[in-house]
PDB file of all heavy atoms in Angstrom:
ATOM      1  N   ARG B  94      11.026  26.005   9.772  1.00 85.00           N
ATOM      2  CA  ARG B  94      10.629  27.388   9.713  1.00 85.00           C
ATOM      3  C   ARG B  94      10.720  27.992   8.368  1.00 85.00           C
ATOM      4  O   ARG B  94      10.124  29.077   8.122  1.00 85.00           O
ATOM      5  CB  ARG B  94      11.292  28.165  10.829  1.00 85.00           C
ATOM      6  CG  ARG B  94      12.797  28.372  10.660  1.00 85.00           C
ATOM      7  CD  ARG B  94      13.265  29.268  11.699  1.00 85.00           C
ATOM      8  NE  ARG B  94      14.752  29.443  11.623  1.00 85.00           N
ATOM      9  CZ  ARG B  94      15.530  28.500  12.167  1.00 85.00           C
ATOM     10  NH1 ARG B  94      15.063  27.455  12.797  1.00 85.00           N
ATOM     11  NH2 ARG B  94      16.864  28.695  12.131  1.00 85.00           N
ATOM     12  N   GLN B  95      11.530  27.413   7.513  1.00 85.00           N
ATOM     13  CA  GLN B  95      11.734  28.110   6.201  1.00 85.00           C
ATOM     14  C   GLN B  95      10.617  27.658   5.207  1.00 85.00           C
ATOM     15  O   GLN B  95      10.655  28.217   4.100  1.00 85.00           O
ATOM     16  CB  GLN B  95      13.098  27.723   5.641  1.00 85.00           C
ATOM     17  CG  GLN B  95      14.230  28.530   6.250  1.00 85.00           C
ATOM     18  CD  GLN B  95      15.656  28.132   5.899  1.00 85.00           C
ATOM     19  OE1 GLN B  95      15.784  27.061   5.194  1.00 85.00           O
ATOM     20  NE2 GLN B  95      16.606  28.872   6.193  1.00 85.00           N
ATOM     21  N   LEU B  96       9.803  26.781   5.557  1.00 88.00           N
ATOM     22  CA  LEU B  96       8.740  26.405   4.692  1.00 88.00           C
ATOM     23  C   LEU B  96       7.723  27.584   4.665  1.00 88.00           C
ATOM     24  O   LEU B  96       7.543  28.237   5.709  1.00 88.00           O
ATOM     25  CB  LEU B  96       8.074  25.191   5.135  1.00 88.00           C
ATOM     26  CG  LEU B  96       8.751  23.865   5.106  1.00 88.00           C
ATOM     27  CD1 LEU B  96       7.882  22.718   5.678  1.00 88.00           C
ATOM     28  CD2 LEU B  96       9.115  23.470   3.684  1.00 88.00           C
ATOM     29  N   THR B  97       7.116  27.760   3.441  1.00 84.00           N
ATOM     30  CA  THR B  97       6.185  28.901   3.381  1.00 84.00           C
ATOM     31  C   THR B  97       4.890  28.365   2.835  1.00 84.00           C
ATOM     32  O   THR B  97       4.786  27.270   2.145  1.00 84.00           O
ATOM     33  CB  THR B  97       6.715  29.925   2.299  1.00 84.00           C
ATOM     34  OG1 THR B  97       6.955  29.325   1.100  1.00 84.00           O
ATOM     35  CG2 THR B  97       7.894  30.692   2.902  1.00 84.00           C
ATOM     36  N   GLY B  98       3.800  29.080   3.220  1.00 85.00           N
ATOM     37  CA  GLY B  98       2.468  28.816   2.581  1.00 85.00           C
ATOM     38  C   GLY B  98       2.029  27.390   2.663  1.00 85.00           C
ATOM     39  O   GLY B  98       2.113  26.726   3.672  1.00 85.00           O
ATOM     40  N   PRO B  99       1.586  26.831   1.393  1.00 92.00           N
ATOM     41  CA  PRO B  99       1.009  25.528   1.323  1.00 92.00           C
ATOM     42  C   PRO B  99       2.004  24.418   1.853  1.00 92.00           C
ATOM     43  O   PRO B  99       1.492  23.468   2.377  1.00 92.00           O
ATOM     44  CB  PRO B  99       0.837  25.340  -0.227  1.00 92.00           C
ATOM     45  CG  PRO B  99       0.771  26.711  -0.700  1.00 92.00           C
ATOM     46  CD  PRO B  99       1.599  27.507   0.084  1.00 92.00           C
ATOM     47  N   MET B 100       3.234  24.670   1.677  1.00 92.00           N
ATOM     48  CA  MET B 100       4.268  23.653   2.050  1.00 92.00           C
ATOM     49  C   MET B 100       4.222  23.413   3.624  1.00 92.00           C
ATOM     50  O   MET B 100       4.407  22.372   4.185  1.00 92.00           O
ATOM     51  CB  MET B 100       5.625  23.896   1.575  1.00 92.00           C
ATOM     52  CG  MET B 100       5.779  23.727   0.052  1.00 92.00           C
ATOM     53  SD  MET B 100       5.094  22.179  -0.526  1.00 92.00           S
ATOM     54  CE  MET B 100       6.433  21.035  -0.002  1.00 92.00           C
ATOM     55  N   LYS B 101       4.040  24.571   4.225  1.00 92.00           N
ATOM     56  CA  LYS B 101       3.985  24.545   5.712  1.00 92.00           C
ATOM     57  C   LYS B 101       2.778  23.753   6.253  1.00 92.00           C
ATOM     58  O   LYS B 101       2.785  22.911   7.090  1.00 92.00           O
ATOM     59  CB  LYS B 101       3.857  25.992   6.227  1.00 92.00           C
ATOM     60  CG  LYS B 101       4.402  26.205   7.635  1.00 92.00           C
ATOM     61  CD  LYS B 101       4.522  27.700   7.951  1.00 92.00           C
ATOM     62  CE  LYS B 101       5.619  27.976   9.023  1.00 92.00           C
ATOM     63  NZ  LYS B 101       6.384  29.027   8.888  1.00 92.00           N
ATOM     64  N   TRP B 102       1.603  24.076   5.554  1.00 93.00           N
ATOM     65  CA  TRP B 102       0.470  23.346   5.849  1.00 93.00           C
ATOM     66  C   TRP B 102       0.573  21.846   5.581  1.00 93.00           C
ATOM     67  O   TRP B 102       0.077  21.008   6.308  1.00 93.00           O
ATOM     68  CB  TRP B 102      -0.760  23.877   5.078  1.00 93.00           C
ATOM     69  CG  TRP B 102      -1.008  25.332   5.330  1.00 93.00           C
ATOM     70  CD1 TRP B 102      -0.267  26.391   4.836  1.00 93.00           C
ATOM     71  CD2 TRP B 102      -1.932  25.974   6.251  1.00 93.00           C
ATOM     72  NE1 TRP B 102      -0.785  27.559   5.323  1.00 93.00           N
ATOM     73  CE2 TRP B 102      -1.806  27.351   6.186  1.00 93.00           C
ATOM     74  CE3 TRP B 102      -2.880  25.377   7.123  1.00 93.00           C
ATOM     75  CZ2 TRP B 102      -2.539  28.217   7.018  1.00 93.00           C
ATOM     76  CZ3 TRP B 102      -3.668  26.311   7.908  1.00 93.00           C
ATOM     77  CH2 TRP B 102      -3.474  27.653   7.761  1.00 93.00           C
ATOM     78  N   LEU B 103       1.217  21.528   4.475  1.00 96.00           N
ATOM     79  CA  LEU B 103       1.381  20.146   4.104  1.00 96.00           C
ATOM     80  C   LEU B 103       2.319  19.441   4.977  1.00 96.00           C
ATOM     81  O   LEU B 103       2.063  18.235   5.412  1.00 96.00           O
ATOM     82  CB  LEU B 103       1.894  20.043   2.713  1.00 96.00           C
ATOM     83  CG  LEU B 103       2.065  18.613   2.021  1.00 96.00           C
ATOM     84  CD1 LEU B 103       0.730  18.009   1.885  1.00 96.00           C
ATOM     85  CD2 LEU B 103       2.814  18.775   0.646  1.00 96.00           C
ATOM     86  N   GLY B 104       3.349  20.215   5.364  1.00 95.00           N
ATOM     87  CA  GLY B 104       4.297  19.556   6.296  1.00 95.00           C
ATOM     88  C   GLY B 104       3.672  19.220   7.586  1.00 95.00           C
ATOM     89  O   GLY B 104       3.939  18.116   8.219  1.00 95.00           O
ATOM     90  N   ALA B 105       2.766  20.067   8.140  1.00 95.00           N
ATOM     91  CA  ALA B 105       2.045  19.693   9.349  1.00 95.00           C
ATOM     92  C   ALA B 105       1.102  18.534   9.102  1.00 95.00           C
ATOM     93  O   ALA B 105       1.041  17.711  10.006  1.00 95.00           O
ATOM     94  CB  ALA B 105       1.202  20.983   9.818  1.00 95.00           C
ATOM     95  N   TYR B 106       0.454  18.456   8.006  1.00 97.00           N
ATOM     96  CA  TYR B 106      -0.548  17.393   7.768  1.00 97.00           C
ATOM     97  C   TYR B 106       0.103  15.929   7.871  1.00 97.00           C
ATOM     98  O   TYR B 106      -0.328  15.018   8.403  1.00 97.00           O
ATOM     99  CB  TYR B 106      -1.194  17.541   6.414  1.00 97.00           C
ATOM    100  CG  TYR B 106      -1.949  16.313   5.941  1.00 97.00           C
ATOM    101  CD1 TYR B 106      -3.114  15.952   6.647  1.00 97.00           C
ATOM    102  CD2 TYR B 106      -1.499  15.637   4.826  1.00 97.00           C
ATOM    103  CE1 TYR B 106      -3.744  14.717   6.237  1.00 97.00           C
ATOM    104  CE2 TYR B 106      -2.190  14.481   4.421  1.00 97.00           C
ATOM    105  CZ  TYR B 106      -3.352  14.060   5.134  1.00 97.00           C
ATOM    106  OH  TYR B 106      -3.964  12.893   4.726  1.00 97.00           O
ATOM    107  N   VAL B 107       1.367  15.882   7.276  1.00 97.00           N
ATOM    108  CA  VAL B 107       1.951  14.588   7.154  1.00 97.00           C
ATOM    109  C   VAL B 107       2.737  14.142   8.342  1.00 97.00           C
ATOM    110  O   VAL B 107       3.406  13.167   8.394  1.00 97.00           O
ATOM    111  CB  VAL B 107       2.885  14.429   5.929  1.00 97.00           C
ATOM    112  CG1 VAL B 107       2.178  14.380   4.659  1.00 97.00           C
ATOM    113  CG2 VAL B 107       3.980  15.508   5.864  1.00 97.00           C
ATOM    114  N   LEU B 108       2.647  14.940   9.448  1.00 96.00           N
ATOM    115  CA  LEU B 108       3.397  14.709  10.599  1.00 96.00           C
ATOM    116  C   LEU B 108       2.937  13.442  11.300  1.00 96.00           C
ATOM    117  O   LEU B 108       1.681  13.235  11.491  1.00 96.00           O
ATOM    118  CB  LEU B 108       3.278  15.913  11.577  1.00 96.00           C
ATOM    119  CG  LEU B 108       4.012  15.775  12.939  1.00 96.00           C
ATOM    120  CD1 LEU B 108       5.523  15.589  12.744  1.00 96.00           C
ATOM    121  CD2 LEU B 108       3.780  17.022  13.738  1.00 96.00           C
ATOM    122  N   SER B 109       3.885  12.518  11.573  1.00 93.00           N
ATOM    123  CA  SER B 109       3.531  11.220  12.290  1.00 93.00           C
ATOM    124  C   SER B 109       4.630  10.977  13.233  1.00 93.00           C
ATOM    125  O   SER B 109       5.707  11.517  13.123  1.00 93.00           O
ATOM    126  CB  SER B 109       3.487  10.134  11.239  1.00 93.00           C
ATOM    127  OG  SER B 109       4.619   9.981  10.543  1.00 93.00           O
ATOM    128  N   ASP B 110       4.345  10.002  14.153  1.00 87.00           N
ATOM    129  CA  ASP B 110       5.346   9.675  15.188  1.00 87.00           C
ATOM    130  C   ASP B 110       6.675   9.254  14.477  1.00 87.00           C
ATOM    131  O   ASP B 110       7.691   9.652  14.890  1.00 87.00           O
ATOM    132  CB  ASP B 110       4.876   8.487  15.930  1.00 87.00           C
ATOM    133  CG  ASP B 110       3.580   8.691  16.744  1.00 87.00           C
ATOM    134  OD1 ASP B 110       2.568   8.747  16.151  1.00 87.00           O
ATOM    135  OD2 ASP B 110       3.625   8.899  18.035  1.00 87.00           O
ATOM    136  N   GLU B 111       6.456   8.423  13.504  1.00 87.00           N
ATOM    137  CA  GLU B 111       7.636   7.863  12.821  1.00 87.00           C
ATOM    138  C   GLU B 111       8.464   8.844  12.080  1.00 87.00           C
ATOM    139  O   GLU B 111       9.701   8.977  12.143  1.00 87.00           O
ATOM    140  CB  GLU B 111       7.225   6.751  11.872  1.00 87.00           C
ATOM    141  CG  GLU B 111       6.749   5.553  12.522  1.00 87.00           C
ATOM    142  CD  GLU B 111       5.267   5.723  13.109  1.00 87.00           C
ATOM    143  OE1 GLU B 111       4.738   6.814  12.952  1.00 87.00           O
ATOM    144  OE2 GLU B 111       4.755   4.650  13.701  1.00 87.00           O
ATOM    145  N   ALA B 112       7.784   9.658  11.297  1.00 91.00           N
ATOM    146  CA  ALA B 112       8.401  10.719  10.556  1.00 91.00           C
ATOM    147  C   ALA B 112       9.183  11.699  11.481  1.00 91.00           C
ATOM    148  O   ALA B 112      10.325  12.106  11.247  1.00 91.00           O
ATOM    149  CB  ALA B 112       7.470  11.618   9.663  1.00 91.00           C
ATOM    150  N   TYR B 113       8.458  11.985  12.629  1.00 89.00           N
ATOM    151  CA  TYR B 113       9.089  12.864  13.556  1.00 89.00           C
ATOM    152  C   TYR B 113      10.353  12.218  14.134  1.00 89.00           C
ATOM    153  O   TYR B 113      11.399  12.853  14.187  1.00 89.00           O
ATOM    154  CB  TYR B 113       8.029  13.069  14.702  1.00 89.00           C
ATOM    155  CG  TYR B 113       8.705  13.662  15.940  1.00 89.00           C
ATOM    156  CD1 TYR B 113       9.126  15.036  15.931  1.00 89.00           C
ATOM    157  CD2 TYR B 113       9.131  12.929  16.999  1.00 89.00           C
ATOM    158  CE1 TYR B 113       9.719  15.625  17.072  1.00 89.00           C
ATOM    159  CE2 TYR B 113       9.773  13.500  18.128  1.00 89.00           C
ATOM    160  CZ  TYR B 113      10.084  14.855  18.122  1.00 89.00           C
ATOM    161  OH  TYR B 113      10.706  15.387  19.140  1.00 89.00           O
ATOM    162  N   ALA B 114      10.277  10.942  14.519  1.00 84.00           N
ATOM    163  CA  ALA B 114      11.426  10.318  15.136  1.00 84.00           C
ATOM    164  C   ALA B 114      12.625  10.165  14.303  1.00 84.00           C
ATOM    165  O   ALA B 114      13.647  10.558  14.683  1.00 84.00           O
ATOM    166  CB  ALA B 114      11.013   8.928  15.563  1.00 84.00           C
ATOM    167  N   VAL B 115      12.485   9.793  13.039  1.00 87.00           N
ATOM    168  CA  VAL B 115      13.625   9.646  12.168  1.00 87.00           C
ATOM    169  C   VAL B 115      14.202  11.059  11.808  1.00 87.00           C
ATOM    170  O   VAL B 115      15.458  11.202  11.666  1.00 87.00           O
ATOM    171  CB  VAL B 115      13.416   8.804  10.919  1.00 87.00           C
ATOM    172  CG1 VAL B 115      12.813   7.543  11.101  1.00 87.00           C
ATOM    173  CG2 VAL B 115      12.431   9.566   9.872  1.00 87.00           C
ATOM    174  N   SER B 116      13.389  11.991  11.659  1.00 90.00           N
ATOM    175  CA  SER B 116      13.797  13.334  11.269  1.00 90.00           C
ATOM    176  C   SER B 116      14.614  13.919  12.419  1.00 90.00           C
ATOM    177  O   SER B 116      15.736  14.521  12.156  1.00 90.00           O
ATOM    178  CB  SER B 116      12.611  14.216  10.977  1.00 90.00           C
ATOM    179  OG  SER B 116      11.977  13.742   9.832  1.00 90.00           O
ATOM    180  N   VAL B 117      14.103  13.874  13.576  1.00 85.00           N
ATOM    181  CA  VAL B 117      14.828  14.610  14.751  1.00 85.00           C
ATOM    182  C   VAL B 117      16.164  13.887  14.994  1.00 85.00           C
ATOM    183  O   VAL B 117      17.163  14.575  15.207  1.00 85.00           O
ATOM    184  CB  VAL B 117      13.953  14.483  15.944  1.00 85.00           C
ATOM    185  CG1 VAL B 117      14.712  14.765  17.221  1.00 85.00           C
ATOM    186  CG2 VAL B 117      12.811  15.470  15.916  1.00 85.00           C
ATOM    187  N   THR B 118      16.123  12.494  14.775  1.00 84.00           N
ATOM    188  CA  THR B 118      17.387  11.796  14.909  1.00 84.00           C
ATOM    189  C   THR B 118      18.492  12.255  13.946  1.00 84.00           C
ATOM    190  O   THR B 118      19.599  12.551  14.201  1.00 84.00           O
ATOM    191  CB  THR B 118      17.223  10.241  14.667  1.00 84.00           C
ATOM    192  OG1 THR B 118      16.268   9.851  15.589  1.00 84.00           O
ATOM    193  CG2 THR B 118      18.453   9.524  14.843  1.00 84.00           C
ATOM    194  N   GLU B 119      18.005  12.452  12.645  1.00 88.00           N
ATOM    195  CA  GLU B 119      18.906  12.874  11.540  1.00 88.00           C
ATOM    196  C   GLU B 119      19.393  14.261  11.848  1.00 88.00           C
ATOM    197  O   GLU B 119      20.556  14.591  11.558  1.00 88.00           O
ATOM    198  CB  GLU B 119      18.187  12.789  10.230  1.00 88.00           C
ATOM    199  CG  GLU B 119      18.987  13.293   9.060  1.00 88.00           C
ATOM    200  CD  GLU B 119      20.036  12.353   8.689  1.00 88.00           C
ATOM    201  OE1 GLU B 119      20.032  11.191   9.098  1.00 88.00           O
ATOM    202  OE2 GLU B 119      20.907  12.737   7.707  1.00 88.00           O
ATOM    203  N   PHE B 120      18.479  15.232  12.203  1.00 87.00           N
ATOM    204  CA  PHE B 120      18.824  16.612  12.409  1.00 87.00           C
ATOM    205  C   PHE B 120      19.869  16.771  13.515  1.00 87.00           C
ATOM    206  O   PHE B 120      20.588  17.706  13.512  1.00 87.00           O
ATOM    207  CB  PHE B 120      17.601  17.421  12.661  1.00 87.00           C
ATOM    208  CG  PHE B 120      16.542  17.379  11.529  1.00 87.00           C
ATOM    209  CD1 PHE B 120      15.211  17.766  11.778  1.00 87.00           C
ATOM    210  CD2 PHE B 120      16.919  16.941  10.254  1.00 87.00           C
ATOM    211  CE1 PHE B 120      14.292  17.758  10.781  1.00 87.00           C
ATOM    212  CE2 PHE B 120      15.995  16.855   9.235  1.00 87.00           C
ATOM    213  CZ  PHE B 120      14.619  17.270   9.524  1.00 87.00           C
ATOM    214  N   ARG B 121      19.859  15.878  14.363  1.00 82.00           N
ATOM    215  CA  ARG B 121      20.804  15.984  15.453  1.00 82.00           C
ATOM    216  C   ARG B 121      22.207  15.593  15.053  1.00 82.00           C
ATOM    217  O   ARG B 121      23.253  16.013  15.639  1.00 82.00           O
ATOM    218  CB  ARG B 121      20.370  15.141  16.712  1.00 82.00           C
ATOM    219  CG  ARG B 121      20.192  15.950  17.947  1.00 82.00           C
ATOM    220  CD  ARG B 121      19.666  15.087  19.070  1.00 82.00           C
ATOM    221  NE  ARG B 121      18.130  14.897  19.134  1.00 82.00           N
ATOM    222  CZ  ARG B 121      17.508  13.849  19.258  1.00 82.00           C
ATOM    223  NH1 ARG B 121      18.189  12.651  19.323  1.00 82.00           N
ATOM    224  NH2 ARG B 121      16.222  13.885  19.327  1.00 82.00           N
ATOM    225  N   GLU B 122      22.229  14.699  14.007  1.00 84.00           N
ATOM    226  CA  GLU B 122      23.470  14.144  13.599  1.00 84.00           C
ATOM    227  C   GLU B 122      24.176  14.863  12.428  1.00 84.00           C
ATOM    228  O   GLU B 122      25.351  14.652  12.136  1.00 84.00           O
ATOM    229  CB  GLU B 122      23.297  12.599  13.183  1.00 84.00           C
ATOM    230  CG  GLU B 122      23.117  11.789  14.402  1.00 84.00           C
ATOM    231  CD  GLU B 122      22.609  10.384  14.035  1.00 84.00           C
ATOM    232  OE1 GLU B 122      22.629  10.081  12.857  1.00 84.00           O
ATOM    233  OE2 GLU B 122      22.140   9.681  15.024  1.00 84.00           O
TER     234      GLU B 122
END
Side-chain angles (χ1 to χ4, degrees):
Chain B
R94 66 179 174 277
Q95 284 172 348
L96 290 177
T97 55
M100 291 312 283
K101 206 164 204 144
W102 301 80
L103 186 63
Y106 167 65
V107 291
L108 181 57
S109 59
D110 300 73
E111 290 75 359
Y113 168 76
V115 303
S116 295
V117 163
T118 305
E119 177 74 10
F120 298 164
R121 242 178 268 131
E122 287 166 14

